C-alpha cells in the first residue's frame, strides 16, 4: 500500500545535512516517497512502497545506522 505510513529509527543524524542525506537516499530508492525527519528523536516518517530492507539499505548507504521500526 503506497500510502501506508511507517516510522523508522535512524541513528547518527546530527544536523540538517544528515537529514538531507537520509531524505535524498530514500527518495533515490523511491522517487514517490514522502519523507519527514525529526532530528531530535531520530524518527523518520515515511510514506512509500519500500520494504523495511530497502529503507535499511538506503539509510546505511547514506552512512547512518538503521534502528528498525519505531515502537
Amino acid at each position: 500500500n503506497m500510502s501506508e505510513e511507517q516510522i523508522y529509527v535512524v541513528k547518527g543524524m546530527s544536523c540538517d545535512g544528515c537529514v538531507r542525506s537520509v531524505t535524498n537516499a530514500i527518495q533515490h530508492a523511491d522517487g514517490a516517497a514522502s519523507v519527514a525527519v525529526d532530528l531530535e528523536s531520530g524518527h523518520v516518517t515515511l510514506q512509500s512502497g519500500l520494504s523495511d530492507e530497502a529503507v535499511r539499505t538506503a539509510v546505511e548507504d547514506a552512512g547512518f545506522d538503521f534502528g528498525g521500526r519505531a515502537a
Side-chain angles (χ1 to χ4, degrees), residues 19-58:
V19 170
R20 275 195 298 280
S21 295
V22 169
T23 301
N24 289 343
I26 291 170
Q27 288 181 332
H28 181 73
D30 177 2
S34 165
V35 185
V37 178
D38 179 16
L39 195 54
E40 203 159 314
S41 67
H43 286 176
V44 177
T45 303
L46 193 57
Q47 285 184 314
S48 82
L50 295 173
S51 67
D52 289 0
E53 278 308 303
V55 175
R56 171 191 291 275
T57 299

Side-chain angles (χ1 to χ4, degrees), residues 1-8 34 36 45-48 69:
N1 183 349
M2 286 298 294
S3 63
E4 190 179 355
E5 188 173 271
Q6 302 297 344
I7 303 177
Y8 298 98
S34 165
T45 303
L46 193 57
Q47 285 184 314
S48 82
R69 292 194 182 195

